[in-house]
Amino acid sequence: MYKTTIGLEIHFEGKTKSKMFCSCLNDPNEKIPNTNICPICTGHPGTLPVINEEAINKLILVGLALNCEIAKHSKFDRKSYFYPDLPKGYQISQYDLPLCKNGYLDINLDDGTTKKIRINRIHMEEDTGRLGHSSNSSLVDFNRAGVPLMELVTEADINSSEEAKKFAQELQLILRYLDVSDADMEKGQMRCEVNISISKTDAWGTKVEIKNLNSFRVVEKSIEFEIKRQAEILESGGSVVQETRGWHDTKQITMEQRSKEDAFEYRYFPEPDLPPINVNENIIINIQKHMPELPEEKRIRFKEEYKLDDKSIEFFVKDIVMGNYFEKIVSELNCWCDDKECKMNEDFDYVKICSNYLSVDFQAMFKNDELLKGKEYNTALLESIITPENFGEFICMIGSGELSSKTAKMVLEEMYKTHGDPSSIVEEKGLSQMTDSGEVEGIIKDVLAKNPKAVEDYKAGKQNSFTFLVGQIMAASKGKANPQSVGEMLKKELDN
Ligand SMILES: [Zn+2]
């Protein structure tokens, strides 16, 4: 058996008002090329960069969330290379004195264990522009040039594709909780690189780098492919070549991009146009004060406070908007429960029922909503959300027996479509449960008269007939009778 050793390098774009070293807008949604540009971010000679304080503070926040040491003194360096989307001919980055180092992130694995992945460093740099190619030309868009870009490098503590994927997913979630980055991989706001080697001994094997992995699925697949590819080479007596590879999504394989001989010499040297970064204790204390609740803290709180199962907790932790929405509805219901007028049955678990209706029924309607196709996820979700008051009232009506589970689904669909309140919908559509026992009695008598054979069978001791009769009565009431009271009344009628 080979031991797999993996280190990750993850880049993520900072969500700031302006770019890293100029006052141009940092707008990832700008569609018109070269709109948010100026002489600084297009690298004109004689211009001077200025450090974006908001971006530095956001990196410190990430560092604190990931248990890093924040360097009291750090600096920027020039990383020199030529590429058409890099107008200065160098990238401003951090070389030997990164702002954050020696952190870690605990990840939860599928087998229920937790694993600590150490983080070597997180530093600040600037993003490049983008190239667009057509059949006879290449065009460059500098809207992204100079956007704050943070790079995180892990220690080689990762031993499987599952661990690599879980690390990247948890990091993405943390960045979103911190509001530091949207970290959308499809949009290139978060990019992963994998360093992977396999070996039969404790010593590391030859390291292969896989670049530009733009989804969690591709991170997982490319690692699995590499483990197999490298094992086959070693099994046949060959040796793995140290090189950079890329993922070919159509062929589902990694392919050579460049060998070690082509490795760049970046000629790092301190950026002469920028002062060093000095971070004092007060700045750190101040940023720590604004640390929001992190995903793992939320998992623990949801378990204690709402006693939900792990799957539901993960649903609300991963989807921040749904998690907040759930909490608002539950707090509405808590108020109602404190109210003496509340009609919910005492043993009705409104927290669990609310969680189920949100994560299953509401989610299904939202996902199948044709009107929302093509919209940004959170925008679409916020548009679709029924007010917490109305959703709370809906749950309350289930808890008090006013809505059967069957009519509840119909009411919810109507609430979703019209954003109306549940009691008006019930009234308009005539969906309330039959509470008039005289009406139910009439239906029972009617059904019994029409099914003398079933009555006979029941009296002869056949329990199936009872179930059959309840079904007939429910159908005759169009689902509006309460099945429990129908059962009780029917028994009384038959045993008379
Ligand atoms: Zn600019």
Side-chain angles (χ1 to χ4, degrees):
M1 249 331 252
Y2 291 96
K3 186 184 171 202
T4 306
T5 306
I6 297 168
L8 291 176
E9 285 176 38
I10 303 180
H11 283 89
F12 44 94
E13 281 178 351
K15 194 176 170 182
T16 50
K17 280 180 215 75
S18 57
K19 290 188 181 180
M20 191 60 223
F21 302 113
C22 62
S23 55
C24 288
L25 273 187
N26 172 12
D27 178 6
N29 297 318
E30 178 55 66
K31 297 279 186 301
I32 304 164
N34 300 311
T35 304
N36 296 320
I37 60 169
C38 74
I40 297 174
C41 55
T42 49
H44 288 224
T47 54
L48 278 178
V50 178
I51 299 172
N52 181 338
E53 188 182 350
E54 185 194 8
I56 296 292
N57 288 347
K58 288 205 158 172
L59 177 51
I60 295 174
L61 187 67
V62 175
L64 293 172
L66 295 175
N67 312 291
C68 289
E69 293 164 22
I70 310 299
K72 297 275 187 297
H73 304 285
S74 73
K75 66 173 170 65
F76 283 105
D77 300 276
R78 284 189 185 180
K79 179 182 182 180
S80 303
Y81 64 97
F82 174 78
Y83 206 71
D85 62 11
L86 187 72
K88 294 196 292 281
Y90 60 85
Q91 179 188 30
I92 303 179
S93 181
Q94 293 194 284
Y95 182 51
D96 53 342
L97 296 176
L99 190 57
C100 310
K101 56 182 182 180
N102 301 332
Y104 66 86
L105 173 60
D106 289 325
I107 52 169
N108 301 321
L109 300 174
D110 285 340
D111 64 3
T113 60
T114 299
K115 181 163 178 179
K116 187 180 289 284
I117 309 292
R118 289 171 301 153
I119 293 163
N120 175 287
R121 61 187 279 159
I122 320 171
H123 69 252
M124 181 63 85
E125 54 190 39
E126 56 179 337
D127 212 343
T128 60
R130 272 178 205 267
L131 289 177
H133 306 283
S134 65
S135 55
N136 56 4
S137 67
S138 289
L139 298 167
V140 60
D141 171 14
F142 290 119
N143 281 342
R144 199 180 70 175
V147 161
L149 189 67
M150 305 176 205
E151 179 176 345
L152 178 151
V153 182
T154 74
E155 298 289 353
D157 287 348
I158 297 166
N159 300 111
S160 69
S161 58
E162 185 207 347
E163 290 174 17
K165 188 175 87 170
K166 289 270 156 78
F167 181 91
Q169 284 176 327
E170 189 68 5
L171 175 68
Q172 182 191 56
L173 205 51
I174 290 171
L175 295 173
R176 289 177 176 175
Y177 271 61
L178 298 174
D179 201 28
V180 159
S181 174
D182 287 335
D184 189 329
M185 292 186 78
E186 260 176 47
K187 290 185 183 165
Q189 293 166 339
M190 176 166 156
R191 280 110 72 179
C192 290
E193 285 165 39
V194 167
N195 287 303
I196 175 170
S197 68
I198 63 168
S199 162
K200 277 191 172 161
T201 64
D202 276 341
W204 293 350
T206 306
K207 194 171 80 174
V208 168
E209 186 180 31
I210 325 170
K211 268 190 178 300
N212 300 324
L213 304 173
N214 57 7
S215 76
F216 296 126
R217 185 187 60 85
V218 166
V219 168
E220 198 175 27
K221 287 207 160 181
S222 63
I223 290 173
E224 275 156 21
F225 178 85
E226 259 319 288
I227 293 172
K228 222 173 121 230
R229 186 187 72 88
Q230 294 182 20
E232 276 167 14
I233 292 172
L234 297 176
E235 285 304 308
S236 64
S239 51
V240 175
V241 179
Q242 184 175 345
E243 63 187 357
T244 300
R245 300 177 72 86
W247 176 250
H248 193 299
D249 207 46
T250 323
K251 294 185 182 165
Q252 299 278 301
I253 58 169
T254 64
M255 286 171 84
E256 186 193 334
Q257 282 188 334
R258 60 171 191 254
S259 67
K260 200 196 167 202
E261 284 76 54
D262 308 327
F264 287 123
E265 170 49 72
Y266 292 117
R267 321 277 301 184
Y268 279 101
F269 70 91
E271 169 59 60
D273 288 342
L274 289 170
I277 312 164
N278 294 314
V279 181
N280 66 39
E281 198 58 38
N282 281 339
I283 294 174
I284 296 174
I285 291 169
N286 217 356
I287 292 173
Q288 180 78 56
K289 262 193 222 154
H290 294 97
M291 180 69 69
E293 182 180 47
L294 294 172
E296 189 58 18
E297 292 167 336
K298 190 162 169 182
R299 286 187 189 102
I300 294 166
R301 185 170 64 80
F302 264 50
K303 195 157 196 113
E304 281 174 4
E305 217 172 306
Y306 304 119
K307 309 200 166 38
L308 295 176
D309 58 272
D310 289 348
K311 202 177 150 213
S312 309
I313 291 175
E314 212 44 40
F315 173 77
F316 291 121
V317 168
K318 283 210 169 123
D319 193 324
I320 302 173
V321 174
M322 282 305 273
N324 291 342
Y325 182 43
F326 166 77
E327 294 205 80
K328 273 190 204 141
I329 299 169
V330 171
S331 84
E332 284 284 334
L333 286 161
N334 285 341
C335 295
W336 279 334
C337 267
D338 292 340
D339 183 354
K340 286 196 186 72
E341 301 286 305
C342 176
K343 290 176 287 179
M344 274 190 279
N345 291 326
E346 256 176 56
D347 56 353
F348 179 69
D349 188 348
Y350 59 86
V351 174
K352 192 175 155 211
I353 300 294
C354 176
S355 157
N356 289 348
Y357 271 102
L358 284 179
S359 60
V360 182
D361 303 90
F362 179 86
Q363 193 66 9
M365 288 188 291
F366 174 65
K367 281 201 170 148
N368 296 323
D369 191 340
E370 291 293 329
L371 297 174
L372 300 172
K373 292 272 170 329
K375 281 195 182 169
E376 190 93 19
Y377 180 82
N378 279 345
T379 317
L381 186 53
L382 288 168
E383 261 177 44
S384 311
I385 274 176
I386 299 158
T387 65
E389 292 79 13
N390 283 347
F391 208 100
E393 192 188 348
F394 166 74
I395 298 294
C396 188
M397 286 168 83
I398 298 170
S400 63
E402 280 171 76
L403 289 177
S404 68
S405 58
K406 201 169 170 188
T407 44
K409 279 198 202 312
M410 293 158 72
V411 171
L412 186 62
E413 271 171 32
E414 201 58 27
M415 286 169 73
Y416 183 85
K417 271 188 230 154
T418 63
H419 283 209
D421 71 279
S423 43
S424 312
I425 290 170
V426 163
E427 211 169 298
E428 274 167 35
K429 304 258 161 187
L431 289 170
S432 64
Q433 280 216 22
M434 235 172 243
T435 42
D436 180 356
S437 57
E439 202 178 338
V440 180
E441 237 173 62
I443 294 174
I444 293 178
K445 288 215 164 90
D446 202 36
V447 168
L448 293 186
K450 280 183 190 154
N451 296 281
K453 176 88 173 58
V455 176
E456 235 173 76
D457 287 348
Y458 171 76
K459 295 204 165 151
K462 284 192 187 162
Q463 263 305 309
N464 284 351
S465 311
F466 187 80
T467 322
F468 167 76
L469 287 167
V470 171
Q472 293 296 304
I473 296 159
M474 287 305 294
S477 79
K478 298 197 175 74
K480 286 194 265 171
N482 179 321
Q484 205 184 333
S485 50
V486 163
E488 283 162 17
M489 288 167 78
L490 176 65
K491 206 160 165 25
K492 235 190 222 166
E493 192 69 33
L494 287 168
D495 293 349
N496 255 340

